[in-house]
């Protein structure tokens, strides 16, 4: 759903104040000092590959890149990173495997990472592999004792609550290190409730990580509202605490990292599941879910049919828990037929009689029974009401000490657009927005060959976009402003819209695509590099026109599809360029 700035755009560059993650990690630690922090690269800056779209040809460079991020987290933010992964969901290059065999290749990667971590005093940082599937990593760990010695956790993505025999044989911690990714309505909450329990019950996984935490990006991007809650209107301040948040609370308010799952068969007789966790100090938490098939389907993988029926379940507490007399009760019911859910409500405590108690369970419910009395559901003030994106929006980027490295409301989809200070400018353009990624990254998804940042309301049809632009790249540099932009994220390469381009060679183009291949109009503009120019793009109905420095450059170009979309700015390639006095109406 967009790009995020690296701490090292270039080989000689280190900056630990870019993006929102540092802020986010610190805010998380304020709320729960015991929360764990994990780093997992999805993309690497291009310089790591020295021209190749592959991060392991120079493994010491890659290891230094990862370690510098961990050290920077500590030095600049006092954050301790607990775990680090290898590379998100990426296969190993067959070219590389043929040269040296899979096992050797992994060993180079993981052993080098472990060695580099230890050399920098980071013995406490554990390694997760491989953030993809259970295999081949599990098989390789069984074959390779050295590799087995340095990988602490096997992390699989979207395991469908199941593991594989080899993973169990390794005796490593098994995690669902990315899961959920589902639209955050009641069905999303049902998905989350089911996998939070059944990843352990069926698959022995002791951690489940939701992608993603908060849906704070334009909803029309590929995975709109696939967060545990929604906060996608920074201009209004509106947000919504969706049902998956309260499903999360059933587990996270009554356990902590370091608690242990009790090894019980957590399948309920008539469908559904339960887990039991203990802190080793006498506390016990039991979480029960009875999600039905059609009300708990996740985005992936496909869910085989199963049935859940209302039932009376009796639980027996033994050993040190035999003495427990009462358990606090928290309850959620996801209301699909009625349309009104009851989320995370405290009920009367349950009396435990001679080590046992019974509960009447309906379908699509979650119960937490716990010795802890610390549960709470906040009486938070109502958030501000929702508002559409302002129909008249300006940003001159004139901010001396910005709280973040990027301008608000712009959503970078390829490249990174950062606040920039022009020390040499005579005064009009001291503070600008600058595209700073000058090399194609080692990509996770298919980034575009152009850079682009989108902004505004996806439903916009008619609009005027105005922006001062400054091409820095001589000869073949170029920039654009655009309207009715219809795509981003993993689909950014197929983005359509109305794009007004100017190039350093003094030409201009109007295209209906980001790739610049569907040309609607072209000609001479007189634009040159290293000079400021003002572009304006006006789209009304099926007609578009463009102005350069206040004078018409082209007009009455017919535009058909797409019929609506965001405004955008961007560059022809991975190149430096600046933007100022952005205005969309």
């Amino acid at each position: 759903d967009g790009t995020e700035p690296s701490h090292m755009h270039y080989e000689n560059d280190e900056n630990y104040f870019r993006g929102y993650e540092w802020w986010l990690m610190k805010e998380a630690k304020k709320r729960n000092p015991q929360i764990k922090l994990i780093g997992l690269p999805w993309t690497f800056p291009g310089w790591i590959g020295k021209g190749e779209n592959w991060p392991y040809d120079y493994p010491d460079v890659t290891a230094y890149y990862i370690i510098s991020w961990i050290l920077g987290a500590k030095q600049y933010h006092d954050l301790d990173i607990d775990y680090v992964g290898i590379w998100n969901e990426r296969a190993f290059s067959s070219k590389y495997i043929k040269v040296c065999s899979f096992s050797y290749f992994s060993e180079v990667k993981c052993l080098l990472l472990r060695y580099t971590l230890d050399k920098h005093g980071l013995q406490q940082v554990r390694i997760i592999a491989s953030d993809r599937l259970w295999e081949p990593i599990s098989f390789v760990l069984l074959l390779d004792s050295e590799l087995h010695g340095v990988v602490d956790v096997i992390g699989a993505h979207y395991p469908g609550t199941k593991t594989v025999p080899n993973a169990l044989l390794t005796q490593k911690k098994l995690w669902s290190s990315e899961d959920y990714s589902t639209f955050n309505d009641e069905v999303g909450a049902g998905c989350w409730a089911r996998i939070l329990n059944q990843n352990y019950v069926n698959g022995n996984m002791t951690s489940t990580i939701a992608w993603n935490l908060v849906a704070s990006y334009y909803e029309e991007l590929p995975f709109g509202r696939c967060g545990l809650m929604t906060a996608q209107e920074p201009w209004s301040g509106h947000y919504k605490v969706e049902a998956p948040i309260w499903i999360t609370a059933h587990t996270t308010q009554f356990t902590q990292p370091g608690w242990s799952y009790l090894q019980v068969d957590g399948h309920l007789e008539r469908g559904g599941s339960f887990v039991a966790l203990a802190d080793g100090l006498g506390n016990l938490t039991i979480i029960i879910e009875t999600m039905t098939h059609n009300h708990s389907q996740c985005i992936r993988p496909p869910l085989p049919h199963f049935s859940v029926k209302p039932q009376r379940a009796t639980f027996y507490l033994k050993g040190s828990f035999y003495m427990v007399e009462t358990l606090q009760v928290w309850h959620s019911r996801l209301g699909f037929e009625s349309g009104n859910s009851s989320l995370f409500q405290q009920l009367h405590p349950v009396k435990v009689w001679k080590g046992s108690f019974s509960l009447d369970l309906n379908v699509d419910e979650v119960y937490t029974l716990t010795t802890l009395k610390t549960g709470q559901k906040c009486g938070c003030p109502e958030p501000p009401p929702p508002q559409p994106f302002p129909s008249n929006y300006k940003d001159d980027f004139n901010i001396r000490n910005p709280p973040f490295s990027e301008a608000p409301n712009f959503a970078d989809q390829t490249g990174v657009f950062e606040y920039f200070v022009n020390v040499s400018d005579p005064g009009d353009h001291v503070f600008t927005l600058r595209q700073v990624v000058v090399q194609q990254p080692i990509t996770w998804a298919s980034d575009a060959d152009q850079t682009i940042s989108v902004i505004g309301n996806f439903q916009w049809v008619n609009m005027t976009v105005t922006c001062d632009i400054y091409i820095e790249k001589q000869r073949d540099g170029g920039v654009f402003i655009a309207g009715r932009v219809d795509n981003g994220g993993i689909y950014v390469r197929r983005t359509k819209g109305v794009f007004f381009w100017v190039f350093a060679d003094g030409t201009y183009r109007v295209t209906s695509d980001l790739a610049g291949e569907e040309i609607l109009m072209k000609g001479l503009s007189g634009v040159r590099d290293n000079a400021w120019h003002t572009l304006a793009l006006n789209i009304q109905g099926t007609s578009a026109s463009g102005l350069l420095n206040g004078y018409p450059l082209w007009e009455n170009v017919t535009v058909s599809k797409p019929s609506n979309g965001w405004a955008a700015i961007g560059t022809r390639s991975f190149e430096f360029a600046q933007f100022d006095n952005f205005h969309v109406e």
Side-chain angles (χ1 to χ4, degrees):
D1 292 298
T3 64
E4 301 175 24
S6 167
H7 63 292
M8 297 177 77
H9 289 319
Y10 328 108
E11 204 161 352
N12 59 352
D13 164 61
E14 288 186 46
N15 182 320
Y16 299 94
F17 296 93
R18 294 184 182 127
Y20 59 83
E21 279 85 355
W22 308 110
W23 171 87
L24 188 67
M25 287 191 278
K26 286 187 284 194
E27 292 295 322
K29 282 285 189 186
K30 283 179 195 172
R31 286 154 181 77
N32 179 5
Q34 290 176 263
I35 204 162
K36 298 294 180 188
L37 300 176
I38 308 178
L40 173 64
W42 283 42
T43 299
F44 296 88
W47 58 266
I48 280 179
K50 303 194 180 182
E52 296 296 317
N53 192 34
W54 187 244
Y56 301 127
D57 287 342
Y58 305 93
D60 51 332
V61 175
T62 304
Y64 174 74
Y65 174 75
I66 300 302
I67 268 75
S68 64
W69 183 82
I70 298 172
L71 293 172
K74 183 64 175 172
Q75 183 177 342
Y76 296 98
H77 302 283
D78 198 25
L79 292 167
D80 292 300
I81 304 301
D82 299 290
Y83 297 89
V84 66
I86 308 298
W87 190 12
N88 182 64
E89 293 178 348
R90 277 295 156 262
F92 305 103
S93 135
S94 57
K95 174 185 80 174
Y96 206 89
I97 297 163
K98 283 170 190 158
V99 175
C100 60
S101 96
F102 182 89
S103 150
Y104 173 68
F105 169 52
S106 319
E107 181 184 311
V108 167
K109 208 169 53 174
C110 291
L111 287 182
L112 180 82
L113 183 56
R114 179 75 269 162
Y115 169 77
T116 316
L117 285 164
D118 294 348
K119 193 174 79 175
H120 287 86
L122 298 170
Q123 288 83 359
Q124 81 286 357
V125 180
R126 316 317 303 170
I127 293 175
I128 306 176
S130 65
D131 282 291
R132 194 165 178 246
L133 304 171
W134 292 118
E135 299 289 16
I137 185 66
S138 301
F139 177 68
V140 173
L141 288 177
L142 293 172
L143 286 182
D144 185 330
S145 60
E146 268 192 306
L147 189 64
H148 191 279
V150 299
V151 171
D152 300 278
V153 176
I154 304 179
H157 287 195
Y158 305 96
T161 79
K162 304 287 200 294
T163 185
V164 299
N166 278 344
L168 293 167
L169 284 173
T170 66
Q171 298 189 308
K172 294 289 180 189
K173 285 190 173 84
L174 308 183
W175 288 8
S176 175
S177 53
E178 183 180 322
D179 220 325
Y180 176 67
S181 188
T182 300
F183 191 80
N184 60 20
D185 59 7
E186 260 52 7
V187 174
C191 150
W192 186 226
R194 180 175 56 78
I195 65 178
L196 269 178
N197 266 18
Q198 295 192 22
N199 276 347
Y200 179 75
V201 172
N202 299 332
N204 228 42
M205 288 165 261
T206 56
S207 174
T208 297
I209 300 174
W211 187 92
N212 57 61
L213 182 65
V214 184
S216 284
Y217 46 92
Y218 292 114
E219 189 171 331
E220 296 81 7
L221 287 165
F223 293 91
R225 276 187 58 186
C226 289
L228 297 178
M229 63 174 278
T230 306
Q232 58 189 19
E233 287 189 17
W235 50 89
S236 73
H238 177 73
Y239 62 89
K240 190 164 179 223
V241 182
E242 310 280 4
I245 283 286
W246 297 117
I247 296 302
T248 310
H250 273 282
T251 295
T252 58
Q253 283 203 21
F254 308 106
T255 59
Q256 282 285 357
W259 282 49
S260 298
Y261 281 91
L262 301 184
Q263 296 185 5
V264 294
D265 179 0
H267 296 96
L268 293 169
E269 207 165 291
R270 306 194 66 182
S273 68
F274 73 94
V275 292
L277 296 103
D279 67 352
L281 305 169
N283 283 306
L284 171 69
T285 292
I286 301 165
I287 304 133
I288 305 163
E289 61 79 27
T290 58
M291 296 301 136
T292 55
H293 178 276
N294 290 359
H295 293 162
S296 68
Q297 286 175 289
C298 304
I299 194 170
R300 67 181 77 85
L303 183 61
H305 182 74
F306 61 87
S307 80
V308 179
K309 295 190 171 74
Q311 58 196 304
R312 185 174 181 84
T314 302
F315 292 81
Y316 299 91
L317 306 186
K318 297 189 173 172
S320 59
F321 297 124
Y322 183 79
M323 306 308 292
V324 171
E325 291 177 3
T326 57
L327 291 168
Q328 306 300 310
V329 183
W330 291 79
H331 173 255
S332 292
R333 186 194 70 255
L334 296 173
F336 293 94
E337 271 63 52
S338 64
N340 59 344
S341 296
S342 161
L343 296 170
F344 200 62
Q345 299 297 320
Q346 187 163 20
L347 306 184
H348 288 298
V350 158
K351 291 272 182 278
V352 182
W353 178 250
K354 291 188 176 172
S356 84
F357 64 91
S358 297
L359 277 182
D360 287 311
L361 305 174
N362 215 322
V363 298
D364 296 328
E365 292 189 317
V366 181
Y367 279 91
T368 301
L369 299 108
T370 179
T371 54
L372 297 179
K373 294 180 176 168
T374 48
Q376 53 181 320
K377 186 170 185 182
C378 64
C380 304
E382 276 294 297
Q387 301 277 345
F389 193 92
S391 57
N392 190 345
Y393 182 84
K394 291 179 179 172
D395 194 339
D396 60 11
F397 312 116
N398 291 359
I399 178 163
R400 196 168 285 277
N401 294 304
F404 290 95
S405 56
E406 300 170 279
N409 303 318
F410 281 92
D412 303 351
Q413 300 303 311
T414 296
V416 170
F417 295 74
E418 290 180 351
Y419 285 120
F420 182 66
V421 180
N422 267 328
V423 187
S424 59
D425 189 86
D428 287 349
H429 300 286
V430 175
F431 298 102
T432 67
L433 194 67
R434 189 188 198 204
Q435 200 295 118
V436 295
V437 180
V438 295
Q439 203 178 345
Q440 175 99 34
I442 297 169
T443 53
W444 173 74
S446 310
D447 295 23
D449 299 321
Q450 306 75 22
T451 73
I452 179 172
S453 190
V454 302
I455 188 169
N457 184 335
F458 190 79
Q459 307 309 325
W460 281 344
V461 176
N462 298 329
M463 65 186 86
T464 302
V465 183
T466 312
C467 195
D468 299 343
I469 60 95
Y470 186 91
I471 301 168
E472 296 188 46
K473 191 181 183 190
Q474 295 177 342
R475 291 184 299 284
D476 55 353
V479 304
F480 69 80
I481 62 172
R484 292 189 188 172
V485 173
D486 74 344
N487 239 319
I490 55 172
Y491 307 131
V492 67
R493 286 187 76 83
R494 61 175 91 146
T495 299
K496 303 278 191 268
V498 182
F499 294 81
F500 174 15
W501 308 78
V502 290
F503 303 109
D505 65 4
T507 62
Y508 78 89
R509 277 188 182 183
V510 185
T511 71
S512 60
D513 62 335
L514 174 62
E517 290 163 359
E518 299 165 15
I519 299 167
L520 305 174
M521 180 76 115
K522 61 180 182 175
L524 296 172
S525 69
V527 166
R528 54 194 173 86
D529 59 77
N530 291 284
W532 283 98
H533 303 275
T534 303
L535 303 185
L537 168 66
N538 183 17
I539 310 170
Q540 299 291 330
T542 56
S543 178
S545 57
L547 287 82
L548 172 65
N549 300 328
Y551 295 98
L553 182 63
W554 51 274
E555 44 199 0
N556 299 328
V557 168
T558 302
V559 293
S560 50
K561 286 182 181 171
S563 56
N564 56 280
W566 298 292
I569 56 174
T571 65
R572 177 189 214 168
S573 65
F574 288 92
E575 61 187 273
F576 286 123
Q578 292 176 58
F579 303 84
D580 204 0
N581 299 315
F582 177 85
H583 181 200
V584 59
E585 199 170 354

